[in-house]
Amino acid sequence: MSAQQQIKEYITSQPVPKRSDMEELHKFILQVFQGCKLWFDSGKNSEGKIVSNPTIGYGFYTIKYADGKTRDFFQIGMSANTTGISIYIMGIKDKTYLAQTFGKELGNASVTGYCIKFKKLKDINIDVLEAAIRYGAEVTNEN
């Protein structure tokens, strides 16, 4: 099954309020990242055990591990969680930057080193989210 089909099924499987927000965010991120690579991570490990929430990925980023190994990954991720939606911005080395730069203006959201978590799309400032996503794209392209 293609990533696009998996993404469509994942979003459709969400309860209605969250589904609408995820559909809108998906379209929004695709506009910000026109022509980007799409990913779908089911959240299951190689043994089929659930290890994380399923995640929609956008863009391309190579993770570099301390042992010298690398792994292809997405730049921006979106997933549903028990209380709302999480946006992941990969590749930010300064784990305080996201919260310090975007946290106050973002609205009703929890911001950690690389994750922005909020209950509903209307709770946040979409322009600030776009700025954070664009920053994430620039940072991962530099690495």
Side-chain angles (χ1 to χ4, degrees):
M1 185 181 317
S2 73
Q4 286 181 326
Q5 185 60 37
Q6 290 174 306
I7 291 166
K8 184 177 180 181
E9 286 184 13
Y10 174 57
I11 292 174
T12 303
S13 73
Q14 301 304 312
V16 172
K18 193 181 294 186
R19 179 186 323 153
S20 299
D21 282 354
M22 288 186 76
E23 285 172 342
E24 190 172 332
L25 275 168
H26 180 63
K27 289 176 187 173
F28 173 76
I29 295 170
L30 288 175
Q31 286 178 337
V32 173
F33 275 121
Q34 292 183 14
C36 71
K37 176 179 172 80
L38 283 177
W39 304 67
F40 185 75
D41 180 348
S42 67
K44 296 178 182 177
N45 67 12
S46 59
E47 298 163 7
K49 293 181 182 179
I50 297 173
V51 294
S52 68
N53 290 328
T55 304
I56 301 167
Y58 307 87
F60 184 84
Y61 168 60
T62 302
I63 297 174
K64 297 171 186 148
Y65 295 102
D67 65 1
K69 293 182 182 177
T70 61
R71 176 179 172 205
D72 292 343
F73 211 61
F74 48 80
Q75 290 172 289
I76 307 297
M78 175 176 65
S79 70
N81 58 56
T82 54
T83 59
I85 299 170
S86 294
I87 301 291
Y88 305 101
I89 301 177
M90 307 307 293
I92 300 174
K93 288 184 172 65
D94 179 351
K95 299 303 175 197
T96 64
Y97 184 84
L98 206 57
Q100 289 178 347
T101 307
F102 304 105
K104 290 179 184 172
E105 295 179 13
L106 196 52
N108 191 10
S110 162
V111 184
T112 61
Y114 64 93
C115 180
I116 299 170
K117 192 185 303 187
F118 50 93
K119 189 168 183 169
K120 296 177 182 169
L121 189 53
K122 69 178 185 169
D123 292 342
I124 62 165
N125 182 327
I126 194 76
D127 293 331
V128 176
L129 179 64
E130 178 180 356
I133 289 170
R134 287 190 185 281
Y135 171 77
E138 290 170 15
V139 167
T140 54
N141 283 331
E142 291 171 2
N143 294 334

